[in-house]
Amino acid sequence: MTTGVIETGVGTIRTGVLGGGFMARVHAAAAQAAGSPLVAVASSTPARAADAARRLGAGRIEADAAALVAASDIDVVHVCTPNATHAPYALAAIAAGHHVVCEKPLATTTADARRLVDAAADAGVVAAVPFVYRYHPMVREASARVARGDTGTLLSVQAAYLQDWMLAASDDDWRVDAESGGPSRAFADIGSHLCDLLEFVTGERIARLTAVTRRVFDRRADREVGNEDIAAVLAELGSGAVATLLVSQMAPGRKNGLVLELHGTGESLRFAQERPEELWVGGRHGSQLLLRDPATADAASARLQRMPAGHPMGYQDAFDNFVADVHTAIRGGAPDGLPTFADGLRAAHLTEAVLASAERREWVEVDA
C-alpha cells in the first residue's frame, strides 16, 4: 500500500491525474495553484497520455490507470475519466492508500456511491467531489445570509441550469452512451450541481420530488442516445418550501446558465454563475445588487476572495479554492463546506429519484 502524505502529514502533496480532457486541465491547474507538483497522468491511450502530460505539465505519463494508482510517489489521485469508470478507479485509488478527488457523478448507481463512501471512511483518506459552485464567494455570502436569518422563512426556490452544447442532432459526446455516461446525462451532469447548490445555500434537503425528462434525439451522429437531454423537477424541501428546477443541455444561447433564486419572508436572493461577482438581494420595498468585496463580506465569503474588489474572480478561482480546501483536509484541517463523497452519494440518490419519478409519473420520496 502506498502511504504518501498520510504518513508525511504537512509535506508536499503530490498529484496524479486520470484523464486528459477539459476537466483534467482544470484539476491540474488547481492542484498546481495549491503548490502541488503534477507527478503523472494517465489517459485512455499512451498517445493521449503523452499529449495530456505536455499540455498539463506533468512529470511523466503512466501506461494506464492501474499503473498510476500503483505509483508510490503520488498522494492524491484526481479521477477525470468517463462516468462509468469513476467508481472502479476511485476504489482502486483508495485501496492503494491515496486520497481521491473524483469528478461527478461520483458513481452511476447509489450502490457504487455508497461503496465509495464506506471505502474512504474505512481507509481514513480524504475523498472529495468537485461541487465547486459552492466556492464562489457570493454563494458563501448567500448561505451566510440564510444561516443568520436575513432571508427569513424559506418559501420557494426557482432554479435552473441551462446549456446549449447538445442542441443539434449532430452534437455528439461519449456521455450520450448510457454505458459510458450512465443512465442520466443532463441531470447527473449538471442537475447534480444545481441540487447541491440549492441544498448547500438553504441548509435544507429535498424531501420529495416529481420529475419529467425528455430525450429529444434517439441518435446523435452514429451513436444511440441512452439518457435524457432535459429534466424538469418540482420538489418539496424539508421545511415545506417548494422548488422548481429546470435542467437542459438544449437551450440556445445558454452556455453555462446556472441560476439559483430563493424567496423568503425576509428577502429574496439570486445568484447567477455567469455573473459570479454579484448577489441580488430582493426586498418588498427595494432591492440591491451586492458586489464581491472582501472588506465588507461575511467571513465565510472573505476567506475565498483571492482578489481585491473590482478584480474579477471566476470558475477556475472557485476550483482553485476547492482544491486548496482538499489539501487543507489532507493536512488534517476541517475546511468549512468541503464537498465529500457523502455529497456525491446524495447526488446519486437525487438522480435515481428523478429517473424513477419520470418513469413512473409520480411523486418520489428522496432517500437520506
Side-chain angles (χ1 to χ4, degrees):
M1 175 184 292
T2 56
T3 53
V5 77
I6 298 173
E7 291 183 353
T8 59
V10 296
T12 300
I13 297 170
R14 300 159 297 181
T15 296
V17 173
L18 291 174
F22 165 71
M23 289 314 305
R25 176 169 61 82
V26 174
H27 281 248
Q32 290 161 336
S36 175
L38 180 54
V39 173
V41 298
S43 192
S44 55
T45 67
R48 289 185 177 182
D51 178 63
R54 177 186 55 78
R55 288 184 290 103
L56 304 182
R60 68 172 187 270
I61 66 170
E62 293 287 1
D64 54 25
L68 186 139
V69 167
S72 61
D73 59 346
I74 290 174
D75 302 307
V76 56
V77 173
H78 289 244
V79 180
C80 310
T81 56
N83 299 348
T85 65
H86 289 177
Y89 287 165
L91 282 170
I94 291 168
H98 299 303
H99 304 287
V100 182
V101 176
C102 183
E103 262 301 325
K104 49 80 206 155
L106 177 60
T108 56
T109 68
T110 55
D112 281 346
R114 185 171 297 282
R115 191 172 297 113
L116 284 163
V117 170
D118 293 342
D122 290 344
V125 299
V126 174
V129 177
F131 287 125
V132 296
Y133 298 117
R134 296 182 179 196
Y135 280 88
H136 283 298
M138 299 314 285
V139 165
R140 297 298 174 106
E141 196 69 37
S143 65
R145 295 183 75 92
V146 172
R148 66 176 178 247
D150 295 1
T151 311
T153 300
L154 186 64
L155 302 172
S156 61
V157 178
Q158 183 180 20
Y161 199 158
L162 307 176
Q163 299 175 334
D164 69 358
W165 67 291
M166 298 298 285
L167 181 61
S170 57
D171 293 326
D172 189 26
D173 186 82
W174 58 262
R175 292 171 178 83
V176 309
D177 179 0
E179 289 189 7
S180 298
S184 171
R185 173 169 34 93
F187 189 84
D189 186 23
I190 58 176
S192 59
H193 273 300
L194 188 61
C195 290
D196 179 78
L197 194 65
L198 185 162
E199 294 189 338
F200 179 76
V201 173
T202 65
E204 294 194 36
R205 288 202 163 196
I206 294 171
R208 54 199 300 263
L209 60 81
T210 185
V212 176
T213 62
R214 184 180 181 191
R215 181 187 308 160
V216 178
F217 301 115
D218 291 328
R219 296 192 66 83
R220 290 181 176 273
D222 295 325
R223 200 190 312 258
E224 183 177 350
V225 178
N227 38 42
E228 82 286 348
D229 298 297
I230 300 166
V233 180
L234 174 63
E236 183 178 345
L237 307 191
S239 66
V242 294
T244 60
L245 298 87
L246 178 62
V247 176
S248 175
Q249 294 176 326
M250 299 183 66
R254 294 300 183 189
K255 304 306 179 184
N256 205 49
L258 184 159
V259 176
L260 177 69
E261 183 167 312
L262 314 179
H263 313 120
T265 54
E267 65 184 17
S268 294
L269 300 173
R270 185 179 192 271
F271 173 79
Q273 193 275 154
E274 292 181 331
R275 302 179 68 89
E277 297 281 277
E278 305 172 356
L279 179 67
W280 178 79
V281 181
R284 189 169 186 180
H285 301 294
S287 302
Q288 60 179 319
L289 193 64
L290 294 183
L291 302 181
R292 183 186 62 79
D293 186 346
T296 57
D298 183 88
S301 171
R303 85 169 181 92
L304 302 177
Q305 299 198 30
R306 296 166 171 253
M307 302 295 290
H311 297 74
M313 292 178 60
Y315 175 75
Q316 186 67 56
D317 295 294
F319 217 104
D320 291 355
N321 281 326
F322 160 69
V323 171
D325 268 7
V326 171
H327 288 197
T328 296
I330 289 173
R331 291 189 167 101
D336 179 58
L338 178 66
T340 68
F341 276 15
D343 298 296
L345 173 59
R346 172 65 179 170
H349 278 300
L350 286 164
T351 299
E352 289 196 350
V354 165
L355 294 182
S357 174
E359 181 180 5
R360 302 200 299 255
R361 300 284 178 164
E362 64 185 23
W363 282 86
V364 170
E365 303 292 324
V366 181
D367 292 337

